[in-house]
Amino acid sequence: MSNITACPLDCYDACEVEYKNEKLSGLKDRHTHGFLCSHLNHYGKYETIVTPRYKGKEITINEALSKLKEIIGAYQKDEILHYRGSGSFALMQEVTDHFFASFGAILTDGSLCDGAGEAGIIEGRGSNKNMPLSEIAKSDVVIFWGRNPHVTSSHLLPLIKDKTIIVIDPIKTKIAKVADLHVQIKPHSDLYLAILLSRFLHIEGGCDTEFLEEFASEYEDYYELTQTIRIKATLDKIDVTLGQIGKILELVRKKKVAIVCGVGVQKYSDGADIMRAIDAFAVMLGLFGKDGCGVSYLGNSKECITSPFNSKSKKVSKVNTEFSNFKTVFIQGANPLSQMPDSLRVKESIGKVENIVYFGLYENETSEVADLVIPAKSFLHKSDIRTSYSHNVMSLMPKVIDSEIGISEYDLSAYLCEEFDIEIQAEEFYIKHFKSFATKNLDGSLHVENREEIPYKDGFNTDDSEFAFLEEYEAKTADDNKFYLITPKSTTSLNSQFKREKSIYIHSSLGFYEDEIISVTSTCGSLKLKVKYNNDLRTDCVLIYSGTKGVNNLTSSQHSFDGKCAIYQENMVELGGY
Ligand SMILES: Nc1nc2c(c(=O)[nH]1)N[C@H]1C(S)=C(S)[C@@H](COP(=O)(O)OP(=O)(O)OC[C@H]3O[C@@H](n4cnc5c(=O)[nH]c(N)nc54)[C@H](O)[C@@H]3O)O[C@H]1N2
Ligand SMILES: Nc1nc2c(c(=O)[nH]1)N[C@H]1C(S)=C(S)[C@@H](COP(=O)(O)OP(=O)(O)OC[C@H]3O[C@@H](n4cnc5c(=O)[nH]c(N)nc54)[C@H](O)[C@@H]3O)O[C@H]1N2
Ligand code: SF4
Ligand SMILES: [Mo]
């Protein structure tokens, strides 16, 4: 057995891993740089589900499979929902889609993650082709815009050591503390900042007009749109100074610039417009199609790869899923009771389902309410393959050790296909299929074939090859008596996996004591949390990390205007003593 595999987690970095003497370490060369984050360093410490159970009673894996078959066979096909999350990002996770779609069950669409931003990118550029890590490495200036690299993409850090760093984030993150400039912007204001940056760039004659004439010829109209904003009132509103705008423009002038965006900017109803306005600033600077320049967001990890699995089915959104419309809900690699927005709604809706099946690694809110619990095999115990949404490497993930515990997604699907007379190929066939989309690089690594290292060299992928600027935008108003909820990623957890946070972080000046229990309330619900101080926050924000139990009691299950995405930071919150 090979002992080289890759981390399966939903993470930009997609590290390559060596398994030796029950220990995991990061490959020294290439993008992994010889280190892993705490999730994989402590991977073996987290207790996984070992034994399947039905209605609380322990059963064997064979009994669990027969039960699953019975449950699936007992209802109309469209009364069965397959709800798959991103607990593992490896490509064989999707083999279950093949069974459920072929069977006639309902699958999900929509996004709990990056969908709003992606929609904005596609509206502007016609596609979402990402600036890969290897190009960021060549830039002079990196703008971290709503991305927290020390927590969510630490393998980017070795690449940016000597570069000029600008950070736009309402929190003084670790990268903000060492940056050349930190704009501690008011949350949900990035649209205005991006528009103002484009406007002032144009005023000072800094636009790349040669590029614009060729690839974004509507730029004068866009400049007109940027003029509809009142400068002073807007700067006051978003808490940015003219000096900071000037400083950003000075730092990026005639430089190779990478704008590295995260999901932080787009957890709002107008998330698509926000991302599109940031893209527009990059266009005004002429950052596309050039060495060491561009915008890096969450790319499409399956770009240039065709799925071998059938996934044609009716779909319902995973943002506001009405679980109660189904008799059986099969939940795989997800913890919807914690991670979907508006948890109180989710709880009520899922409570009406006759059969909840949970297929995962860890106990959590969802396994707790499940009727049938089926343990999955961890990535060390099954064969898989993966790609990344931040770089173009494809990593093989052969099984590195045998285990009796759980069942792989492939074996579960093969069993169901056999029982319900649905065609399925051998596991190796699918892995080979994915592998066939890769080519070998000089350093021996596999790269997804046809992915462009420098996308948009010959223009954008819109009908006329030109960038499509935003033509209008909706002004947003905040409620000054309430706090912005910032709900980002924590170092200790990967969403609801591993060590989950338990506190609310607030500025010490807000009048609450440290360790005091307070109630946090939005229009959707409330929860009680222990206070921790964090003076890296603005005084108009509170921070509750993703994965904190109950955080999504506060969040709305509305969709973003574009991109069918959850909007975790739309609702503002109130704080109260307990
Ligand atoms: N350790 C760890 N790593 C992870 C994850 C995890 O849970 N833990 N999750 C993985 C997943 S699923 C994803 S999608 C990625 C996401 O990774 P990131 O894109 O880095 O996402 P977040 O941490 O949600 O937000 C990033 C930053 O956006 C800032 N932000 C919040 N609101 C605003 C705003 O209105 N404007 C601006 N400019 N900034 C804002 C936050 O303060 C935060 O510093 O990380 C992946 N990696
Ligand atoms: N408040 C708030 N809510 C958020 C976010 C936020 O930032 N703030 N972030 C959102 C984002 S970006 C995302 S991507 C979602 C993520 O939300 P989910 O997709 O629900 O992801 P996880 O919380 O990581 O839970 C995944 C579950 O997958 C299971 N799992 C892990 N590996 C495997 C495997 O190999 N096979 C199987 N069958 N199961 C496995 C584990 O048991 C784990 O409990 O959360 C969203 N929710
Ligand atoms: S940084 Fe990301 S890919 Fe690397 S080990 Fe940690 S979770 Fe896995
Ligand atoms: Mo995500």
Side-chain angles (χ1 to χ4, degrees), residues 558-569:
Q558 303 239 311
H559 287 103
S560 55
F561 300 140
D562 301 290
K564 224 176 181 185
C565 186
I567 47 173
Y568 293 100
Q569 294 186 173

Side-chain angles (χ1 to χ4, degrees), residues 201-247:
L201 183 74
H202 190 285
I203 291 172
E204 55 164 61
C207 293
D208 184 341
T209 40
E210 200 182 314
F211 174 85
L212 291 173
E213 290 298 343
E214 192 171 0
F215 297 121
S217 59
E218 303 285 316
Y219 71 98
E220 289 294 353
D221 290 346
Y222 184 63
Y223 175 58
E224 247 171 62
L225 180 81
T226 70
Q227 287 174 305
T228 59
I229 285 188
R230 289 168 57 215
I231 296 175
K232 173 138 186 359
T234 306
L235 287 172
D236 286 348
K237 191 167 89 179
I238 71 176
D239 224 356
V240 174
T241 64
L242 216 55
Q244 287 173 319
I245 298 220
K247 184 79 186 169

Side-chain angles (χ1 to χ4, degrees), residues 330-479:
F330 180 92
I331 299 167
Q332 172 190 332
N335 182 9
L337 275 165
S338 165
Q339 294 308 111
M340 276 177 79
D342 202 351
S343 305
L344 300 176
R345 187 206 70 83
V346 176
K347 201 169 178 183
E348 206 206 327
S349 183
I350 223 168
K352 295 181 185 144
V353 175
E354 267 174 48
N355 304 290
I356 303 169
V357 184
Y358 172 80
F359 179 35
L361 280 178
Y362 305 110
E363 298 288 3
N364 54 34
E365 292 91 328
T366 308
S367 70
E368 222 168 81
V369 303
D371 301 282
L372 178 61
V373 174
I374 306 177
K377 279 204 187 301
S378 95
F379 78 106
L380 299 170
H381 306 143
K382 63 189 173 200
S383 301
D384 218 316
I385 185 161
R386 79 162 293 172
T387 49
S388 153
Y389 46 81
S390 155
H391 56 69
N392 295 335
V393 176
M394 184 185 277
S395 305
L396 304 181
M397 301 173 66
K399 173 164 80 169
V400 295
I401 180 172
D402 283 317
S403 164
E404 293 296 306
I405 298 169
I407 182 165
S408 70
E409 286 67 27
Y410 177 80
D411 286 342
L412 181 130
S413 306
Y415 168 83
L416 291 173
C417 284
E418 163 102 350
E419 295 299 321
F420 291 100
D421 213 10
I422 289 165
E423 206 177 321
I424 185 167
Q425 308 292 332
E427 184 174 34
E428 197 45 38
F429 171 90
Y430 294 119
I431 293 178
K432 264 201 189 135
H433 169 93
F434 288 121
K435 209 176 144 187
S436 74
F437 292 95
T439 51
K440 210 172 225 161
N441 259 28
L442 288 176
D443 64 2
S445 61
L446 294 179
H447 273 220
V448 181
E449 199 167 16
N450 300 326
R451 280 234 195 127
E452 299 158 56
E453 289 290 310
I454 305 174
Y456 309 111
K457 263 190 171 152
D458 306 314
F460 295 97
N461 297 119
T462 49
D463 291 340
D464 58 2
S465 301
E466 295 212 23
F467 185 79
F469 288 102
L470 209 58
E471 284 167 6
E472 53 182 3
Y473 61 90
E474 202 176 307
K476 281 271 153 196
T477 46
D479 185 339

Side-chain angles (χ1 to χ4, degrees), residues 42-51 358 360-364 367 405 497-499:
H42 303 296
Y43 195 72
K45 289 189 194 146
Y46 298 98
E47 215 175 299
T48 57
I49 304 175
V50 175
T51 317
Y358 172 80
L361 280 178
Y362 305 110
E363 298 288 3
N364 54 34
S367 70
I405 298 169
Q497 304 188 65
F498 314 119
K499 192 161 178 268

Side-chain angles (χ1 to χ4, degrees), residues 10 85-88 93 112-113 263 267 332-336 338-340 358-362 364 376-379 382 409 487-489 494-497 545-547 551-552 555 568:
D10 180 352
S86 53
S88 160
Q93 284 288 310
L112 297 185
C113 183
V263 292
K267 297 179 183 186
Q332 172 190 332
N335 182 9
S338 165
Q339 294 308 111
M340 276 177 79
Y358 172 80
F359 179 35
L361 280 178
Y362 305 110
N364 54 34
K377 279 204 187 301
S378 95
F379 78 106
K382 63 189 173 200
E409 286 67 27
T487 174
K489 313 300 185 186
L494 199 121
N495 296 309
S496 73
Q497 304 188 65
Y545 286 108
S546 177
V551 56
N552 283 319
T555 56
Y568 293 100

